[in-house]
Amino acid sequence: MRRRGTGRGAGLLVLGAVLLAGCGIRTTSVPVDAGAAPSRVPCSVPGAFSGTAGQGGLPLRVYLLCGAQLEPVERRSPLPEEKAAGDPVRTASALLALLTGEPSEEERRAGFGTAVKGPLTVGAGRKGDPAGTLRLSRQPEDLPPTALAQIVCTFAESAAGESAPGGSGGDSVVLGGPGPYQPRRYSCTGELKERPESAVPSAPAADGASAS
């Protein structure tokens, strides 16, 4: 016995395929794998301070990498606060030690990392350098751009950066290296925080009082 409606159903299927093709939609007989949904990291550490939270020490802010951007993290340094007060070099040394250290477990879970690798030290400027100059044990321009961006923004928004002459609200820092090259002023901008892999804005250090 022949069933009615079979030909009609097939015709509807053909018509549907034609309509989909006319709308610019390609039909497929296999599932399409669009890949995993992009993961999102919180870029936020619970609590006021990470690392040595709840312990004594100097509260400091450093800039770490998270989600391809620079994000601030509050930490505590073992350096006693009274020893860092009024001493930009001590403050810079404590900040650099925090930047070169491995992120804590809670920081890693939040998506934080650092491009600043040791050995790397910081000291005072030389005679003839502008006051407030900090000299790294490596030439700043020889560092990876992301590492230099972390150092510049971390120093610039600390007492180390505010001590530099001509600073505008602690948004820049004068850095040099171990070589005979003149130090330069490096600026921490909003664009740099969003794209730390780009070149750090710099300019010749402003003339002013010299380091003794």
Side-chain angles (χ1 to χ4, degrees), residues 3 6 53 82 86 109 117 123:
R3 294 183 179 179
T6 302
E82 61 272 13
R109 287 198 300 266
K117 304 298 181 184

Side-chain angles (χ1 to χ4, degrees), residues 6 12 16 26 52 80 93 96 108 122 139 144:
T6 302
L12 290 175
R26 298 181 61 184
T52 56
S93 296
L96 190 59
R108 286 194 296 269
V122 61
Q139 286 297 130

